[in-house]
Amino acid sequence: MAYADKQLKAREIITKAVCGKGRKFSTVTHNVTPPHHPTSILGAWIINHQYEAVRSGDGIEVIGTYDINIWYSYNKNSQTDVAKETLSYVEHVPLSYLDPKHRASTEEVSAESTQEPNCIEANISSSGSGVVIRVEREFAVELIAETKIWVATLPGGNDDGKDFEYGDDGDFEDLDPELLDDEL
């Protein structure tokens, strides 16, 4: 028997769902002062990135740290050294979508670094004593919580033990089995 043959009703249920999402790309500038006045920058990279997400106001804050390593020459390019500095940051990611009817007491937040912090430029500062580094990073965040949704129900349930039909007979004989994904 098709759904159209029975009278559908609706029921409100509580379920866990993604109730908020956001994404933010940013470029930040850091100043690092090595122990020697640099003559030239030979390389700059970021390692040991760690972060966590917390709910904050109208968004989610990503709180993290990373190490910046700068390989540079000094003393008129006659010697080299690596300057290391651990930097901390707080990135506020606004939620572009938020279900206003979610239960705030059940919130769980998560963040994913979609663009790991990466040094895109390193230059000697105008004073000549430090290094100015530009870093880009991107985060996608989610807020998961309990919320209410409406679902269609059939009066009396599925007492006859038959599978539900969704309107058409749904002939699938015309499908090409070669197009099916074996990993599903």
Side-chain angles (χ1 to χ4, degrees), residues 64-159:
T65 62
Y66 46 75
D67 297 337
I68 294 181
N69 293 331
I70 303 165
W71 182 31
Y72 67 100
S73 67
Y74 63 97
N75 200 13
K76 297 182 182 178
N77 290 326
S78 64
Q79 296 177 308
T80 65
D81 197 3
V82 176
K84 300 174 185 177
E85 191 168 317
T86 299
L87 297 169
S88 57
Y89 65 90
V90 176
E91 186 80 61
H92 181 78
V93 182
L95 296 174
S96 58
Y97 162 74
L98 179 63
D99 177 1
K101 296 187 179 188
H102 74 278
R103 290 186 173 178
S105 62
T106 64
E107 289 180 346
E108 300 171 20
V109 294
S110 65
E112 179 185 351
S113 179
T114 54
Q115 167 70 50
E116 285 291 327
N118 184 32
C119 178
I120 56 174
E121 185 178 17
N123 295 310
I124 298 172
S125 66
S126 58
S127 67
S129 62
V131 179
V132 178
I133 298 173
R134 281 192 29 216
V135 175
E136 65 181 8
R137 59 186 183 224
E138 182 179 36
F139 292 98
V141 297
E142 284 186 341
L143 181 139
I144 298 171
E146 289 182 359
T147 188
K148 293 180 181 180
I149 62 171
W150 286 91
V151 296
T153 61
L154 296 173
N158 186 12
D159 295 340

